[in-house]
Amino acid sequence: MTVEQITKVIYDAIDDKIGQDISIINVGAVSSLCEYFVIATASSQRQVKAIADNVEDELTKLGIEPRGKEGHGAQTWVLLDYGDIMVHIFDEENRGFYNLEKLWKDAPYVDVDTLA
């Protein structure tokens, strides 16, 4: 699978659990950190966990495991590191506080319909 196809699977897994304000940012256009950030908001800590678990489950079905994961304990911001793709699931308060979109404002947004 291509990075773009995996990113689309991640997007769909987030959307399946009613993730809000899903953004895909092409960080690779301005940095060598990774290719894409996928950022989403959940309405509660419970939903943060449910979304993160669903992303992991869907990618595990494809034989793709995260290189690292952070935040499962607090469930206010879960980061899943898939190498070329970093998935950030925030609760509403922390999404606004950390404002990754502003931090990476020079990186272009990607329309999900252009993936895969």
Side-chain angles (χ1 to χ4, degrees), residues 8-54:
K8 175 73 165 94
V9 170
I10 292 168
Y11 180 95
D12 290 343
I14 294 169
D15 191 50
D16 285 348
K17 293 296 179 184
I18 320 298
Q20 303 163 6
D21 300 322
I22 307 169
S23 297
I24 302 168
I25 302 174
N26 184 351
V27 175
V30 296
S31 172
S32 62
L33 178 65
C34 67
E35 284 298 312
Y36 297 107
F37 273 7
V38 180
I39 306 168
T41 304
S43 59
S44 67
Q45 290 180 356
R46 182 186 227 159
Q47 189 184 22
V48 169
K49 181 181 182 328
I51 292 170
D53 288 348
N54 198 47

Side-chain angles (χ1 to χ4, degrees), residues 95-107:
R95 173 112 183 229
F97 180 79
Y98 289 103
N99 199 356
L100 292 182
E101 290 92 342
K102 184 177 180 185
L103 182 66
W104 292 96
K105 67 180 184 243
D106 294 336

Side-chain angles (χ1 to χ4, degrees), residues 7-8 11 23-26 36 108-116:
T7 303
K8 175 73 165 94
Y11 180 95
S23 297
I24 302 168
I25 302 174
N26 184 351
Y36 297 107
Y109 282 81
V110 175
D111 184 345
V112 68
D113 294 330
T114 65
L115 298 172

Side-chain angles (χ1 to χ4, degrees), residues 70-81:
E70 300 288 334
H72 270 284
Q75 298 176 4
T76 57
W77 175 10
V78 172
L79 168 64
L80 301 172
D81 177 359

